[in-house]
Amino acid sequence: MARPGACEICSAFWVTGLGRAETLGVSDEFMAEIRRCRHCGAYWEVGAFSHPKVITRAQATRELPDLDRLEQGLGIAFPDPPTIESG
Ligand SMILES: [Zn+2]
C-alpha cells in the first residue's frame, strides 16, 4: 500500500526490497539519507535512527541545501511529487 505522498512502487521497497528510490545525498546534520522516487517524484528521508518517511521538497532542501545540483547531476527527469497531506 502506498504511503501518503508517495506511490506504491517506492512505498513497497521497504517491504519487498524492489523499487528503491534514487539516493540524492546524505545529510550529516540530519543524519539521514535523502532519496527520490523516479516513478512518483516523492522525497524520502531515511534516517539513521528513524523509520523512512516521505518528506516535502522544502524539507529535502533543508537537509540537502544543494538539492538542485544533486538532482541535475543524476540526470533523471523526476516527476513532481504528490502532495503530502499535512496533519
Ligand atoms: Zn514513488
Side-chain angles (χ1 to χ4, degrees):
M1 203 165 100
R3 302 269 193 104
C7 72
E8 295 193 4
I9 294 170
C10 57
S11 297
F13 168 73
W14 312 107
V15 179
T16 65
L18 300 172
R20 186 187 189 285
E22 304 293 329
T23 298
L24 298 178
V26 174
S27 167
D28 291 333
E29 182 187 347
F30 287 84
M31 298 187 71
E33 184 179 318
I34 309 303
R35 300 183 192 174
R36 191 172 185 190
C37 175
R38 62 165 68 224
H39 302 284
C40 68
Y43 292 91
W44 286 86
E45 180 196 281
V46 187
F49 303 107
S50 57
H51 290 293
K53 64 179 180 187
V54 179
I55 59 175
T56 62
R57 179 176 173 84
Q59 178 66 25
T61 303
R62 268 196 293 278
E63 303 190 21
L64 294 176
D66 54 351
L67 185 65
D68 285 337
R69 187 181 58 78
L70 292 167
E71 289 185 336
Q72 282 166 14
L74 285 175
I76 298 170
F78 291 104
D80 288 332
T83 304
I84 301 175
E85 307 269 341
S86 57

